[in-house]
């Protein structure tokens, strides 16, 4: 019977057409089960509070639906809720399940909704929870780097430009630079969090419905921070928000890819800066001696992948004429995959980095006199010679430049942010702020839900891994 | 015991690192089981024919391995072969299975191979088979369009530029243009087929091995058309060939996306050119009247996706320093997904297009006099007036241009390829040639394998759908 | 003599190598002349205030350099300052000019700087000024749409999904949706403004220098909002910030591309929603009747271009190992071009949109009964029938659904943001806030510069158009 | 007067709209002057041969126009032909010039043409000439690498995977791999050459004209290899062919980027494989000791750029509904820029590579015993031990593996394409074939033009550099 109900929507659709249009949603939508249950619950609670005669739903009926949805979430976590091809997607699967359990009442839950606003809501709720998770994980990786920076602030190493030896530097400067890059990237994530923090429910297919739906109430029940806006934009923003989210993740992955690229280089025996434990490296099927930094290579490649996912979304969205179009369905997998790859990469690097051994002696090698050429020129400048002349003189007499003392050279670089003055307290404060933000937002969401849904704890798993 | 063997490679790897580095291969590599079995079989046959003392493998032992691999292919088709996380990938899973069945003999199959050349071989064999399949399916869609062009060569419709009415045209011209675009795209697919048509086996990790492996023999056993080349390039070409393949698929999807965009437009009631049967359209969860051309919208979006997959691969490959790097692993899913999406799109449009109704009367509407403005100017030119003057005169007297006869206007466009002279025989001949090419290549592969492996028929399913 | 000085850096470089490495900077760097002059001026003012013995530069000498730089800015605006190939870039061109005018003093201006931090500074200052300009222009376009939304809040039109008629809607809803999209995009621009709002000067080649440079002072002189950070990151953030900027611009262009796509569609005679004045359309070289909405087509295409520029930058940055690498030079043109295209597109649409005529009667056409099918179902729901049953009933009796009254249908959509309740006051407030932000930031920059440089007014021209 | 004529097309267009729609064509179209002159000439010759009464143009008049166009080409090469904003593009600029010189006759040259087919023709002719040039230049770089491979076939170096030492290898293998990659890329260029080798003229705006234009004649006069096809496709293929061209160039740039990445690495003092002459390196403005491989860094970055240009074009083309749309104009700069960057990169590397010194002694360093671990395992295999056991044994006893002799290790790798058997004769033959192809195609074009236009030699300059 349930299937028959659901089948009324799928109707007599050609099986090839159904497979093409719905196919992968059956897998991807597992990711959205909880968000869709919460959204549906908030919607019926709101319906229940509308004072219409006859009521669309009574308060008691709404509570019944909410209870059923709570059970459904539990069932889903236990792997006992399936989305079938005939359902097309999570939305009809849930409506089917509710109708199977609650009968006629189940047929009322879609009142005033379209799948267009429903999926938009599920995606925004999903993104809201994922974003706090990724911010936490990114802060964790930044924290590892910051700790490394503190510990190695005085470990000298040759700074490079164009991969060639440039000037005296330190491992601490290197670690601090990567930490700051990740901290800066948090700004983008927070901006997307804000952009995303808006309930589309009540938009229906993008044109509202002739019912006095209380969009603000639904928004509040679900803990959204911004008031609901234009109903057409609420629907057409799908894809655009996915693009924004992938942009922020891309920035994170760009930072990570550069960290990874450095680590691959540092692990080459010609440098020997980093010793890679066997348990964290990967062997070869043919070469018995191998212990490769595959984690870093994959991190680098997954950055390319997240860029690719972003590109897909940009391509889908660009030039799309107004109103909902099915094209945006193809933004779902990219954003989920992009989130999953970014979070997995942040986690694995946070796992690996503290266990790598940085070889202080190896880092100290390679301080040829040429590395001190700029210092030599600036010594002449300190004596009064114009810089360009000093530069020219040293250039012509390069062979006579003597080796300097790397520690002294560090110590002389006293400007804010320079090797002798890393100013890490700033990053430490920003890290604390980021972590406080995560706590506050998660608490706010918990609080919003507690009053009517009960305690809700987002699942900790990576997306697409359940 | 088997697991212990396989575990020696995975060794004591940290579980998070293992999950990050191997995770999705467990799923994706299902796609490569058959190609890897064939490659392994050809490799051992070659090993068996080397006249070394002691032999690496006897001819009889090689036959034993081939038989076991044949069984393994059968088991895999029946869904009875699993790749486990501890295997990391299909290659070690197969080695494990062979060792479980054949004991010590199984431990000999990897002699002279690395997973680097092994996976490269599997991918090239996979691509070889996929490419003939996609060429066939693309020819099928071109064939549907060509048939439509023949049937509607005289069905007048308004030709547009900038979406605005431009000149008299025909539905046949429109269908013929899309057919020719797809035919031209076949050129790219055939070029990639050739690029890909080379066996990497014997390259090992990219530097060969100190064994007199007969690379030409393996190449011939597997039906590759080009002789084996530089062993380093054999391995580093991974990613590059994936990029080339996705480029060719992208061209196909660009063509398809434009066809789809036209069909979406033609299906709007304001045009009414195309009537969409209920069984091929998709409804709405809220609006009872809906029958949407989702198939075309998704085809358009999947074109964006294939571009995104291409981007991922370009990003991975670009600037990668020499020798195998794990980054290229991230080119596997994009190429498989790109192939699957393209083939699914070609198939569904081939399914849908013949069942759409083109409304000849609706097409004939909209022939306002303005559509004949150019004809009016050229009439003046025929009378001796310079074109630019005629153009100017008509422009100034637009209101006086009378409506022409669309059929006559078509008939007057007699140049090769113009509405009055579609020259479809050319496309028909190219279509036959494409189909003959598919048959020839499939036969050649079958013939190469028959002699030592036995009859082999590639699976007909789409990639990633098994 | 000047050339000889500059030539010492270029030295004996092979002409082909010089042309390849420096070539287009000679053109692109024109864009950076003013920012580089300001940066150099702030640097020498700071040098002048360091209490070293002997001084690197006296306060008086610093003032002399600042005066020369002020003249140089004036000369550049008058088109009288050239960057030559032998200079390689704007930085050496300015050093050459200063040395030509000030002699030995000119040779002191590069003390403690590398071109790496110098170009980073110039780019951040350039971006700072460009960002306020683009925010203003984007607010202008949003303002035009908002005005249109207010004026046409009750102009009924058929709302569409999948391009097919869906539900009653209004032109005001449509205009409001586009306005809100652009308003949301401002968030991204402001976030990048913040990310970019940091002075890299003092970082030199990314490792600082053994001089007590006062980075905070330079930062304050130039009006940057965030304190200077890690010197290595100050240099490696180049490319990353360009990516962030192009991401924000891409969001803007995505929004614009969808607006443009709608306008192209609305201008087709089959719809006739928009009448395009001859002066804003484009003709054909062969068809006298033509008046095409090329502006919109190009806006759509330029969105693709800005995405392409973003891709270039992502590709350059991803996986780049640490420390300055010349690769990032290739991020300069993309960001300049992306900014120029976006600003030009915003401007031209702001110019065109108010002059388009929306045809209220044409908009009101096309309200077939089917458009009211959802309303019919919800009427049944209001009577107590479960929605899914009502939906099914209407679906089966579609032919009996009567035409509704579009105005009434709008009026019944009373939820916040729905056609009957556009809630535009929210957007109006956000628009005012955006404009106030622009004024505040421009004033703050003016104020920071006034104290030591004098009055400074950024040029109003689009980038790359001087 | 001339301007007035041209102005009739531009008409009363709003200056902002004109600047937005035509702006950069004024610069870019310089690139197309010669191709457009040739195309116009062929068109009028064809018009002259049509036996209509009255004639559209007499044979003598056609000759007069051809003569004027020949002069115009000469003037353009001397920098004496300008495209003005009022012209919008090269096509109207040439029509204006002809009308200025020939009066009424000039007003006849556009008979039967639209700018749509005219620009398509110009682009195809431009691409045809550029493609032979880039093939020649790519063959040159491959030739340099091939020569290096021959010379250094026995120079031992450590082969790497994952950047870690893997197995014994040679510089010759490395150079041969890069050469083969470039040779393979030629296949893509030749395929695009074929795709592009078709005259669109006679298509007009995509729907033909009611005149008996002889499209085959024009095609033959201009030396195109494929017969003219569907007129709608002739116009809509614009953008698609640009994409195909950029795809082929992207493959070239991917290959080049990997070569460049290797050279940057090899130039680090820790390796010291490559010594970079001062004249080919680039200095620093602050560090006197610097000599950086900027050429390689930029080559790597320009690969990202060409990918970006490809992305722009893919974005423009994807989903564009049928018939000419102005969007495709935005594919012009990407293809020109992509071609220019690729050719410049090929040239500069061909210039630089032969002057780099490879240090044979440095290459020979780093042969630790671990590099011979696989050889040690395979020795055990040769003695009869199963490979997996031998592998395991060596892995457990790594410390006891002794250093091998690199030369012997190379010599033992005898399979085709392995370090001991590079099989370069194959590449040599392919290189000769590529060069012969260039000669043949250039001769064929010259021959086609000679009969009616006279001797024509394509300019040798890079695109966009005139």
């Amino acid at each position: 019977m349930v299937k028959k109900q659901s089948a009324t929507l799928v109707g007599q659709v050609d099986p090839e057409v159904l497979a093409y249009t719905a196919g992968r949603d059956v897998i991807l939508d597992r990711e959205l089960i909880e968000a869709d249950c919460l959204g549906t619950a908030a919607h019926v609670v709101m319906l229940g509070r509308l004072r219409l005669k006859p009521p669309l739903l009574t308060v008691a009926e709404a509570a019944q639906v909410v209870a059923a949805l709570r059970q459904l979430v539990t069932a889903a976590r236990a792997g006992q809720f399936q989305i079938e091809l005939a359902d097309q997607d999570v939305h009809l699967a849930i409506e089917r399940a509710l109708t199977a359990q609650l009968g006629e009442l189940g047929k009322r839950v879609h009142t005033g909704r379209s799948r267009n606003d429903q999926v938009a809501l599920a995606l925004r709720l999903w993104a809201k929870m994922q974003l706090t998770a990724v911010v936490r994980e990114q802060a964790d990786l930044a924290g590892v780097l910051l700790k490394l920076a503190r510990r190695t602030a005085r470990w000298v190493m040759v700074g490079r430009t164009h991969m060639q030896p440039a000037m005296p530097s330190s491992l601490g400067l290197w670690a601090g630079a990567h930490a700051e890059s990740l901290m800066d990237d948090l700004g983008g994530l927070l901006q997307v969090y804000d952009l995303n923090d808006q309930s589309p429910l009540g938009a229906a297919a993008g044109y509202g419905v002739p019912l006095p739906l209380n969009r603000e109430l639904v928004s509040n029940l679900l803990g959204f921070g911004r008031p609901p806006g234009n109903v057409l934009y609420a629907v057409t923003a799908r894809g655009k928000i996915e693009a924004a989210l992938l942009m922020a993740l891309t920035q994170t992955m760009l930072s990570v890819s550069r960290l990874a690229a450095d680590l691959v280089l540092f692990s080459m025996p010609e440098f020997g800066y980093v010793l890679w434990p066997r348990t964290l490296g990967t062997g070869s099927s043919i070469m018995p001696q191998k212990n490769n930094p595959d984690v870093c290579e994959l991190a680098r490649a997954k950055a390319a992948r997240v860029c690719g996912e972003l590109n897909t979304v940009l391509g889908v969205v660009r030039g799309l004429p107004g109103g909902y179009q099915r094209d945006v369905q193809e933004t779902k997998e990219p954003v989920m995959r992009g989130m999953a790859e970014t979070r997995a990469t942040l986690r694995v690097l946070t796992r690996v980095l503290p266990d790598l051994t940085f070889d202080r002696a190896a880092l100290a090698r390679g301080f040829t006199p040429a590395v001190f050429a700029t210092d030599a020129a600036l010594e002449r400048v300190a004596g009064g010679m114009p810089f360009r002349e000093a530069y020219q003189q040293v250039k012509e007499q390069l062979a006579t430049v003597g080796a300097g003392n790397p520690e002294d050279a560090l110590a002389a670089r006293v400007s804010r942010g320079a090797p002798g003055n890393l100013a890490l307290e700033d990053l430490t404060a920003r890290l604390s702020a980021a972590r406080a933000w995560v706590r506050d937002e998660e608490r706010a969401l918990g609080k919003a839900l507690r009053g009517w849904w009960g305690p809700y704890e987002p699942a900790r798993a990576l997306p697409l891994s359940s």
Side-chain angles (χ1 to χ4, degrees), chain A:
Chain A
M1 189 207 83
V2 167
K3 294 227 176 141
K4 198 160 142 272
Q5 185 277 112
S6 151
T8 56
L9 275 177
V10 171
Q12 64 289 61
V13 172
D14 180 271
E16 283 188 53
V17 168
L18 177 61
Y20 186 72
T21 55
R24 270 181 85 73
D25 268 356
V26 171
I27 296 164
L28 299 172
D29 276 11
R30 285 184 213 151
E31 200 64 44
L32 299 178
I33 294 172
E34 301 197 11
D36 201 57
C37 286
L38 289 169
T40 297
H43 181 68
V44 295
V45 167
M46 179 273 288
L47 290 182
R49 293 197 200 166
L50 292 180
R51 298 167 184 282
L52 300 178
K53 299 202 171 171
L56 297 173
L57 215 69
T58 66
V59 170
E61 284 172 332
Q64 226 183 317
V65 175
V66 172
L69 288 163
R70 248 192 316 257
Q71 286 167 24
L72 211 151
V73 166
T74 307
R77 289 206 177 178
Q80 286 157 5
F81 178 70
Q82 297 298 325
I83 305 168
E84 294 172 17
L85 183 56
D87 294 325
Q88 290 185 33
D89 52 38
V90 67
H91 317 296
L92 294 182
I94 289 175
E95 187 177 334
R96 166 179 60 82
L98 291 176
T99 306
Q101 187 181 342
L102 307 173
E104 200 185 272
L105 181 50
K107 299 180 183 177
R108 292 183 185 275
V109 300
H110 203 61
T111 309
R113 286 196 300 175
S114 161
R115 278 179 298 182
N116 294 357
D117 62 339
Q118 199 178 345
V119 65
L121 184 278
L123 285 163
R124 292 207 181 180
L125 213 46
W126 174 88
K128 200 170 155 70
M129 297 183 201
Q130 290 290 327
L131 277 162
T132 47
V134 75
V135 167
R136 183 194 302 108
E137 287 157 356
Q138 191 158 322
D140 287 347
L141 181 56
V144 167
L145 285 161
L146 198 50
K147 205 169 153 188
L148 178 63
R150 270 190 223 105
R151 185 164 66 88
T152 62
R154 297 288 156 195
W155 293 28
V156 298
M157 77 186 279
V158 173
R160 292 166 196 276
T161 62
H162 308 261
M163 311 285 267
Q164 298 286 326
M167 283 199 210
S169 181
S170 70
L171 186 61
L173 183 78
W174 174 86
H178 284 296
E180 190 171 335
S181 187
L182 284 169
M183 294 303 305
D184 266 10
D185 297 337
L186 289 179
L189 290 168
L190 265 61
Q191 205 273 320
V192 175
Y193 185 88
D194 184 54
L195 175 69
N196 176 73
D197 200 17
Q198 197 176 40
S199 168
L201 269 189
Y207 305 100
V209 284
L211 291 172
L213 304 181
N214 187 341
R215 298 183 71 206
E216 296 90 327
L217 173 58
V218 170
S219 177
N220 293 336
L221 290 173
L222 294 168
F224 284 101
R226 300 168 68 201
N230 183 296
V231 291
L232 179 53
Y233 177 59
V235 162
T236 55
R238 194 177 160 203
K240 172 209 187 107
I241 295 179
E242 277 69 16
L245 212 162
L246 281 164
M247 284 170 174
L249 296 175
T250 292
Q251 284 288 7
T252 295
M253 289 304 283
L254 289 183
S255 294
V256 164
S257 75
R258 300 177 79 167
L259 172 63
D262 277 351
L263 289 173
V264 169
L265 209 65
F266 290 0
S267 305
M268 295 178 80
E270 280 78 3
F271 298 93
Y273 294 174
V274 168
L275 304 180
W276 204 267
R278 278 266 161 194
T279 50
L280 303 180
T282 307
S284 154
S285 71
I286 178 172
M287 293 173 286
Q289 85 277 16
K290 278 295 207 161
N291 184 36
N292 300 314
D294 291 48
V295 162
C296 289
E297 296 164 57
L298 285 168
R300 207 164 51 180
K302 281 174 193 298
R305 171 145 197 182
V306 176
C307 291
E309 306 295 359
L310 170 58
N311 261 292
T312 295
V313 173
L314 296 180
V316 168
V317 171
R318 200 183 44 74
L320 215 52
Y324 177 82
Q325 310 227 37
R326 187 67 177 269
D327 308 60
V328 293
Q329 164 150 345
E330 288 294 314
T331 67
K332 196 193 279 176
E333 188 164 15
V335 80
M336 288 181 175
R337 178 72 52 205
M339 181 59 86
E341 299 290 4
T342 304
R343 290 185 58 194
T345 302
L346 289 168
R347 283 182 179 197
V348 80
L349 287 174
T350 304
R351 161 76 194 84
V352 164
L353 205 52
D355 281 5
L356 300 181
T357 302
F358 287 87
D359 182 338
R360 192 168 186 173
L363 285 160
R365 280 195 288 269
F367 273 89
T368 58
V371 174
F372 297 92
T374 306
D375 293 47
L378 288 174
E379 258 174 58
R380 284 162 175 77
V381 166
M385 187 184 290
F387 174 73
R388 190 54 68 212
E389 274 173 27
Y391 168 96
Q392 201 55 34
Q393 197 179 87
V394 171
K395 189 169 188 171
E396 281 157 16
Q397 306 165 3
L398 256 188
T400 71
V401 173
N405 177 300
E407 280 81 12
D408 294 351
L410 283 203
R413 283 156 161 83
V414 296
S415 302
R416 191 174 200 278
N421 177 13
L422 293 181
L424 299 178
E425 56 287 353
D426 216 45
L427 293 181
T428 307
R430 290 170 67 190
L431 192 60
S432 299
R435 285 173 165 151
W437 177 88
V438 171
R439 271 192 311 275
D440 291 349
E441 288 301 323
E442 290 188 340
R443 252 180 229 154
L445 177 60
K447 200 177 154 195
L449 297 176
R450 204 171 308 122
W452 62 277
W453 169 275
Y456 179 78
E457 190 72 36
R460 289 282 158 188
L462 291 174
L464 299 184
S465 64
S466 53

